Amino acid sequence: MNAHLYLRASTKDQDANRAKESLEAFAAEKGLTIAGVYAENVSGTKLNRTELMKLLDVAQPGDILLCESVDRLSRLSQEDWLTLKTTIKAKGLRLVVADLPTSHMLVVDRGISGQIMNVINDMLIELMATMARLDQEKRVERIQQGLKKKRAEDPDWRPAGKGKNAELWKSIKTTLAKHPTMNADEVAKLVGCGVATIYRVKRELRV
């Protein structure tokens, strides 16, 4: 039986191939033939992922889609998860999750007992997918709360990577040069920014 290994990591700083060796060992233990390995660095909240779509395109009915855990496959919204589940089922693929033992029975047909386990397995996968989605939503909520707090403390604060307001900093430097005796509060009021920004410019200038 053919198995298609799907490996995913969220960011480029993470190794999407981290679980490759363990999944290859799992496939060997179950007597599966690895038909392809699909690894990518992309958010699990996105449905249209290049490698996942490629896997779904080339896999044949009866093949296995093998992943390390449900959250490697999906952190999708409920609607997108339904779309992915429907696609997997329509393709006739068997979703086997290495860290979900009930799914291992899908490697072989076991008659009526296999059908019962399949129902149980579907329920567990659904539960884990829901937990992965809720965990993602909580992460986003915490990030938004953190950003809101930062902006409340310093209106001029910008997330890392977005860079500083070049025009504002230029104006502050010019003002500091023209009015060296002004304190930070006075400069902030004059240029229209937060005091914290003035102190950052001063640190850069070593004033």
Side-chain angles (χ1 to χ4, degrees):
M1 187 179 295
N2 289 333
H4 301 264
L5 278 55
Y6 181 68
L7 308 158
R8 184 191 67 79
S10 297
T11 69
K12 292 181 180 180
D13 294 330
Q14 298 173 330
D15 183 9
N17 284 291
R18 174 189 54 78
K20 182 181 178 183
E21 187 175 332
S22 63
L23 289 184
E24 288 175 335
F26 178 92
E29 179 187 339
K30 300 297 182 182
L32 301 173
T33 299
I34 297 177
V37 178
Y38 306 82
E40 57 189 341
N41 289 81
V42 62
S43 172
T45 62
K46 295 182 178 180
L47 176 59
N48 293 317
R49 299 173 229 156
T50 303
E51 291 301 310
L52 178 58
M53 293 301 108
K54 188 185 298 182
L55 185 160
L56 294 173
D57 184 52
V58 303
Q60 299 300 309
D63 286 356
I64 286 176
L65 192 171
L66 176 61
C67 59
E68 178 188 19
S69 59
V70 173
D71 65 3
R72 293 304 86 198
L73 179 65
S74 172
R75 287 188 181 275
L76 298 167
S77 66
Q78 191 169 4
E79 182 180 356
D80 284 344
W81 170 237
L82 178 59
T83 298
L84 179 57
K85 283 193 305 179
T86 302
T87 302
I88 292 173
K89 185 175 181 179
K91 288 283 295 186
L93 305 181
R94 305 182 187 194
L95 176 56
V96 176
V97 182
D99 68 359
L100 184 61
T102 55
S103 71
H104 301 177
M105 292 187 68
L106 297 179
V107 173
V108 294
D109 293 314
R110 293 179 179 270
I112 187 65
S113 63
Q115 293 176 26
I116 294 173
M117 288 305 299
N118 191 31
V119 172
I120 295 173
N121 181 62
D122 286 346
M123 292 172 62
L124 289 173
I125 287 179
E126 186 67 33
L127 175 61
M128 294 176 75
T130 299
M131 292 174 64
R133 180 175 68 250
L134 292 176
D135 178 63
Q136 178 65 23
E137 290 174 355
K138 282 293 183 182
R139 289 184 185 185
V140 172
E141 182 181 349
R142 287 194 294 269
I143 291 172
Q144 292 300 325
Q145 289 174 341
L147 292 174
K148 185 177 180 180
K149 181 180 179 181
K150 282 282 189 180
R151 293 190 180 104
E153 294 173 346
D154 179 10
D156 299 310
W157 177 83
R158 288 169 175 266
K162 290 193 175 181
K164 59 191 178 187
N165 187 326
E167 288 299 320
L168 175 60
W169 279 50
K170 181 178 179 181
S171 176
I172 293 171
K173 290 176 180 178
T174 300
T175 302
L176 288 171
K178 288 182 178 180
H179 307 283
T181 60
M182 274 190 175
N183 60 39
D185 286 327
E186 293 171 331
V187 175
K189 289 178 182 178
L190 185 62
V191 300
C193 71
V195 176
T197 303
I198 304 302
Y199 284 119
R200 282 200 292 272
V201 175
K202 283 194 169 192
R203 282 197 296 271
E204 181 178 284
L205 295 173
R206 299 182 184 279
V207 175

